[in-house]
Amino acid sequence: MRFTPETRALDWLVRRPIAHRGLHDKTKGVIENSRSAFAAALEHGYAIECDLQITRDGEAMVFHDESLHRLTGTKGQVKDITAVELQHLPLTGSGDTPQTLSELLSQVDGRVPLVIELKSHWDGNDALVRRALRVLEHYNGAHCLMSFDADQVEAVRQLSPHTVRGIVADRTQDPEYAILPVSRRKEMRFLGHLHRTAPHFLSFYERELPWEPVSRFRAAGGPVITWTIRSPAQAARANRYADQITFEGYRP
């Protein structure tokens, strides 16, 4: 693609494939979003995608699900326990425990870019945005924040305009979106929030490309990354519509 002068500084975002939740392999005891998965990604020079959830005491933790069950075998939700409590729960099938964002930054130490997704409860609470920005304030490595929730991305824009921000998106056809008003789903589907989020990039679901709102964004010079790529054939298709892949299950 051809970057505009404003987005040329984002070439680090599309320079190398992005390991989805780190370079994980459950069969080898390397669990998603774990220290071991990030170490493997670092070893191979991949950029790292990861997820943040907020705890009861306001800490940004590297963890994908709202529920604790799938990844730790424990009942409850991340938002209802403290960071210390979460750090003492082993990730099922591994010797790792969840990290804070601060711990992840210390591990990566600027060696590869970090593509960080802010998970949302869709309640307008910007505590996770604020905590992530505070932790990242003095981090010099390449990084960005992104979310499905336009309100979260707008908050990043307002609180830290120079932080690279992105929208994660699809065509909002999954039944999980039923919790949101139709107007909200429509805004997300057609990227109707761009006037207030002003994202530097998009991260879009590969199986739903091409999609005209995404094509327009890219034609205007905006970088597009795509998820989640699981084979060379899928990567070849994704590269027709996007500038870099977020992958898992194989090594590009």
Side-chain angles (χ1 to χ4, degrees):
M1 69 167 290
R2 178 175 294 176
F3 286 120
T4 65
E6 291 77 13
T7 57
R8 187 173 298 281
L10 293 180
D11 61 352
W12 57 264
L13 179 65
V14 298
R15 189 178 302 145
R16 64 186 90 184
I18 305 163
H20 187 234
R21 307 178 195 173
L23 196 61
H24 55 92
D25 184 344
K26 189 175 181 180
T27 64
K28 297 179 180 178
V30 181
I31 305 302
E32 65 181 66
N33 278 319
S34 68
R35 178 178 291 276
S36 296
F38 301 140
L42 287 167
E43 180 182 354
H44 292 277
Y46 293 123
I48 291 171
E49 187 269 352
C50 64
D51 306 280
L52 296 184
Q53 292 276 0
I54 191 136
T55 59
R56 189 180 72 202
D57 53 342
E59 187 56 86
M61 299 295 298
V62 183
F63 202 85
H64 180 272
D65 299 358
E66 293 182 13
S67 169
L68 297 166
H69 184 263
R70 181 176 69 91
L71 293 166
T72 70
T74 306
K75 293 182 179 180
Q77 294 193 319
V78 175
K79 67 181 179 64
D80 295 326
I81 65 173
T82 67
V84 170
E85 289 171 330
L86 183 55
Q87 287 175 295
H88 282 85
L89 294 177
L91 294 170
T92 303
S94 81
D96 287 311
T97 57
Q99 293 180 286
T100 64
L101 175 58
S102 296
E103 290 171 330
L104 171 62
L105 298 185
S106 295
Q107 180 184 6
V108 175
D109 195 26
R111 286 178 285 172
V112 300
L114 286 171
V115 181
I116 303 168
E117 181 179 344
L118 302 166
K119 306 305 285 187
S120 174
H121 297 287
W122 306 100
D123 57 3
N125 190 323
D126 66 1
L128 180 57
V129 174
R130 291 178 180 275
R131 180 56 183 163
L133 288 172
R134 176 164 294 188
V135 174
L136 287 162
E137 187 174 4
H138 300 295
Y139 183 68
N140 293 322
H143 66 279
C144 57
L145 294 174
M146 63 182 186
S147 182
F148 279 92
D149 187 343
D151 291 348
Q152 298 272 49
V153 179
E154 183 180 13
V156 174
R157 179 189 182 191
Q158 293 175 341
L159 294 167
S160 182
H162 299 296
T163 295
V164 177
R165 60 189 177 272
I167 287 287
V168 191
D170 55 21
R171 298 194 193 185
T172 65
Q173 295 174 324
D174 192 288
E176 291 186 3
Y177 289 114
I179 64 170
L180 300 176
V182 171
S183 59
R184 186 74 178 273
R185 301 201 303 268
K186 183 178 179 181
E187 179 192 56
M188 295 167 65
R189 179 178 174 86
F190 296 103
L191 305 181
H193 48 68
L194 295 185
H195 65 286
R196 63 186 178 93
T197 54
H200 298 101
F201 69 96
L202 300 180
S203 178
F204 202 84
Y205 183 36
E206 182 272 335
R207 293 184 185 275
E208 294 180 350
L209 289 172
W211 182 232
E212 181 59 28
V214 177
S215 299
R216 287 198 304 267
F217 181 89
R218 189 173 183 230
V224 175
I225 59 178
T226 190
W227 49 275
T228 302
I229 308 304
R230 295 182 170 87
S231 72
Q234 192 181 6
R237 180 184 182 280
N239 287 331
R240 295 169 58 190
Y241 307 111
D243 305 296
Q244 190 50 270
I245 63 169
T246 306
F247 73 95
E248 69 177 29
Y250 83 110
R251 294 181 189 173

